[in-house]
Amino acid sequence: MNKIESFKINHLKLLPGIYVSRKDYINNEVLTTFDLRITAPNREPVMNTAEIHAIEHLAATFLRNKLENEVIYFGPMGCRTGFYLILVGDKKSEDIVDLIKELFKFILDYEGDIPGQSPKDCGNYSDMNLDIAKYYSKKYLKVLNSITKENLIYPE
Ligand SMILES: [Zn+2]
């Protein structure tokens, strides 16, 4: 079988940042998949599932409320170093820097019950860690606040 595009990225050089992972052309629409990379792959500890889960619930809620029909998907990478965001439209990584800053500021400032954190609404509702989700949000915001080309375009 052919190696898929996301396994062709040089993870040894990849930094935390925002990258365009792929574009899909379906009928007359373009979908852009973004790689929101939170930790440096194979060089920093990965996130645990509890903080990934808290970020997933908060981010999905924030993005779907803010963008409504533009959001196709938000979810974690299996390697636990980041998330994928799929939006409608032909976009560049620069286009969503402000949106992603706003999103992680929202998580950093979040207080109270996490949306969907109940046994009726979620398949593993007790597995959430908002404090560590905030730790990673703060760390990622530092990257986003001084973002350079190396954090926006995949390395060679
Ligand atoms: Zn859940």
Side-chain angles (χ1 to χ4, degrees), residues 53-54 56-57 115-118 121-125 127-128:
H53 195 190
E56 186 219 8
H57 274 233
Q117 190 180 11
S118 77
D121 296 345
C122 172
N124 191 9
Y125 81 102
D127 188 28
M128 293 218 198

Side-chain angles (χ1 to χ4, degrees), residues 69-109:
N69 299 331
E70 280 179 71
V71 182
I72 301 293
Y73 174 76
F74 180 93
M77 295 175 183
C79 62
R80 295 189 275 136
T81 65
F83 297 87
Y84 286 116
L85 169 64
I86 306 177
L87 295 180
V88 175
D90 189 352
K91 295 181 190 298
K92 299 191 293 289
S93 48
E94 293 93 317
D95 297 341
I96 65 159
V97 173
D98 287 344
L99 172 72
I100 302 305
K101 274 188 198 173
E102 203 186 325
L103 164 60
F104 281 89
K105 185 85 177 40
F106 168 75
I107 298 170
L108 184 60
D109 295 339

